[in-house]
Amino acid sequence: MIELRDVTKTFPQGKGEGGGLRAVDHVSLHVPRGSVYGIVGHSGAGKSTLLRLINHLEEPTSGSVLVGGADLGALGERGRRQVRQSIGMVFQQFNLFRSRTVLGNVAYPLKVAGASRAEARERAAEVLRFVGLDGHARRYPEQLSGGQRQRVGIARALATSPGVLLCDEATSALDPQTTHEVLALLERVNRELGITIVLITHEMDVVRSLCDRVAVMADGKVVESGGVYEVFSRPQHPTTEAFVRSALHDRPDGPALERLRARHGGRLVTVPVTGDAAGGHELSRLLREHAVDFTVAHAGVGEVQNRPLGSVTLELRGAEADIDAVVARLGGLEKAGAR
Amino acid sequence: MKADWNTFWVKVVDATGETVYMVLVTLALSAVLGMVVGLALYATRKGGVLQNRVVFAVLNALINVVRPVPFIIAIVALSPVTRSVVGTMIGTDAAVFPMVVVATFGVARIVESNLLSVEPGVVEAARAMGASPLRIVLTVLVPEALGPLILGFTFMLVALIDFSAVAGTVGGGGVGNLAMTYGYLRFDTSVMVVAVAVLVVLVQLAQLLGNLLARKVLRR
Ligand SMILES: Nc1ncnc2c1ncn2[C@@H]1O[C@H](COP(=O)(O)OP(=O)(O)OP(=O)(O)O)[C@@H](O)[C@H]1O
Ligand SMILES: [Mg+2]
């Protein structure tokens, strides 16, 4: 559905010299039709820029962007505007028109697309029903709660029946309960309407509950991408690791590890927990064989795409040689202590 | 020779009519011209939809030169141009010309700064929907900035009443002229008091109207 081929975006910096700032650096990405694709990364990693390249709000410095088969770079400004009408966009700060009612906001993109006033109103009412705001059509944005505003934002983005929805931190300004509602709505958008969604987020929960695939960005580059479970169960890049850790709180680090060491006299090992039952059997068999005892010192396990993901940190007690043997055997399976 | 108020009130009504005429004609012309210049300024600035360094620099410099000039000086400085455009240097029409020139640049700044105060996010949203630059200006920027724009125009309207009085003292007609010729030159305090009262009432009306409209648009 969306194809980025070796796309780079360089912003001119200061007074000409210095080569400029490379916000997006040789990124290639494929977003399959009907998928929900998450983009995560630290602030300034280039996520928003990448998203804005997809609908050509930002022109790539090099590389090409294809949406639904159309090469946006090859189109003129007019053609690009046409394509944008079939790509919805949702923003962190909602960006609703304060001068228009809820209905007016949702009808606006339809008017841009050339619909008559009556058609626009009818379609807008229909989309408002879909997002559950049909009772609020005549209100103004400032009379709505944050969650309702974002639903208007989503309705507005859906009005022209786009094939793609781009969400730039659509839930970052919302409280957890409202975030949950908005995510449920986005899920319906994907499931019921079959719309491909690309979303930027800082929140692991968003990726966990919604995304099929994820790309991790750092310094303008996509450093890891793939299925959500695959990427998060075997993080390769520090950014990915930090992201997983912040969500699962599974691996004790720094001071937490020191405290565990003080509390537990024995050897500490961290063992990953995955959906794979064989790993668990292997561990208990090992411990039994070597007559090594254990206590759970720390644990954090969550679900990603309906599969468990996380780790337990165990304190092992027994003969030194036996523990060495267990740790040596576990070696292939895990890394001792904190990652 | 003091004014005989049994007949003099006709002159007051006529002068007030002239003032209102000067102000409204100037407002109409400068609103249109100022809007165009203001939109041009907004669009051609760095990062604008029609970015153009030369056009922006010229307009910007022009405004910065015209705006600080005291109006009374502007009337005199512009008088040769006024004569060639309007055909005369006295009367209400001759007064309207410098008023329009000065007000246009004032309005342009008001329009520019109010458009700039519109959140960039809304413009971004409209761009993402595939709206053209012209459509964005007319259907997003102007409506979004309408409340403060109305207050800005009200400010201009009040300034124009002041300008018209100044123009009146140098042969422009209207209440200012009345105050000058009867109140000042003939030391008639009653005319002066009435002239001032008329100006105060006009300013109050303008402000009231502007506030009402702005409140309606801003819904508060
Ligand atoms: N229009 C621009 N002109 C110059 N530099 C820009 C522009 N837009 C973004 N940048 C720079 O590009 C880099 C990436 O910005 P971007 O907004 O894409 O980051 P982000 O990953 O979305 O960050 P955040 O999580 O804070 O939103 C930043 O260093 C930013 O300062
Ligand atoms: Mg961003």
Side-chain angles (χ1 to χ4, degrees), chain A residues 47-48 168-169 200:
Chain A
K47 306 179 297 294
S48 297
D168 194 344
E169 306 199 23
I200 292 175

PDB file of all heavy atoms in Angstrom, chain A residues 47-48 168-169 200, ligand 2:
ATOM      1  N   LYS A  47      10.366  10.716  13.161  1.00  0.00           N
ATOM      2  CA  LYS A  47       9.102  10.014  12.934  1.00  0.00           C
ATOM      3  C   LYS A  47       8.073  10.884  12.206  1.00  0.00           C
ATOM      4  O   LYS A  47       7.491  10.460  11.213  1.00  0.00           O
ATOM      5  CB  LYS A  47       8.511   9.544  14.278  1.00  0.00           C
ATOM      6  CG  LYS A  47       9.474   8.713  15.110  1.00  0.00           C
ATOM      7  CD  LYS A  47       8.856   8.294  16.421  1.00  0.00           C
ATOM      8  CE  LYS A  47       8.498   9.441  17.347  1.00  0.00           C
ATOM      9  NZ  LYS A  47       9.644  10.191  17.860  1.00  0.00           N
ATOM     10  N   SER A  48       7.875  12.087  12.725  1.00  0.00           N
ATOM     11  CA  SER A  48       6.876  12.963  12.096  1.00  0.00           C
ATOM     12  C   SER A  48       7.275  13.294  10.670  1.00  0.00           C
ATOM     13  O   SER A  48       6.429  13.327   9.763  1.00  0.00           O
ATOM     14  CB  SER A  48       6.720  14.252  12.893  1.00  0.00           C
ATOM     15  OG  SER A  48       6.230  13.969  14.182  1.00  0.00           O
ATOM     16  N   ASP A 168      -0.247  10.881  13.825  1.00  0.00           N
ATOM     17  CA  ASP A 168       0.962  11.357  14.490  1.00  0.00           C
ATOM     18  C   ASP A 168       0.674  11.535  15.978  1.00  0.00           C
ATOM     19  O   ASP A 168       0.157  12.555  16.406  1.00  0.00           O
ATOM     20  CB  ASP A 168       1.434  12.672  13.869  1.00  0.00           C
ATOM     21  CG  ASP A 168       2.859  13.017  14.299  1.00  0.00           C
ATOM     22  OD1 ASP A 168       3.345  12.420  15.278  1.00  0.00           O
ATOM     23  OD2 ASP A 168       3.480  13.875  13.653  1.00  0.00           O
ATOM     24  N   GLU A 169       1.011  10.544  16.763  1.00  0.00           N
ATOM     25  CA  GLU A 169       0.800  10.564  18.205  1.00  0.00           C
ATOM     26  C   GLU A 169      -0.637  10.936  18.551  1.00  0.00           C
ATOM     27  O   GLU A 169      -0.886  11.812  19.378  1.00  0.00           O
ATOM     28  CB  GLU A 169       1.772  11.531  18.872  1.00  0.00           C
ATOM     29  CG  GLU A 169       3.201  11.196  18.486  1.00  0.00           C
ATOM     30  CD  GLU A 169       4.226  11.792  19.440  1.00  0.00           C
ATOM     31  OE1 GLU A 169       3.861  12.061  20.579  1.00  0.00           O
ATOM     32  OE2 GLU A 169       5.370  11.952  19.017  1.00  0.00           O
ATOM     33  N   ILE A 200       2.384   6.858  14.644  1.00  0.00           N
ATOM     34  CA  ILE A 200       3.573   7.164  15.433  1.00  0.00           C
ATOM     35  C   ILE A 200       3.161   7.128  16.885  1.00  0.00           C
ATOM     36  O   ILE A 200       2.078   7.590  17.229  1.00  0.00           O
ATOM     37  CB  ILE A 200       4.063   8.578  15.124  1.00  0.00           C
ATOM     38  CG1 ILE A 200       4.586   8.649  13.700  1.00  0.00           C
ATOM     39  CG2 ILE A 200       5.152   9.002  16.104  1.00  0.00           C
ATOM     40  CD1 ILE A 200       4.979  10.044  13.307  1.00  0.00           C
TER      41      ILE A 200
HETATM   42 MG    MG C   2       6.802  14.116  15.987  1.00  0.00          MG
END
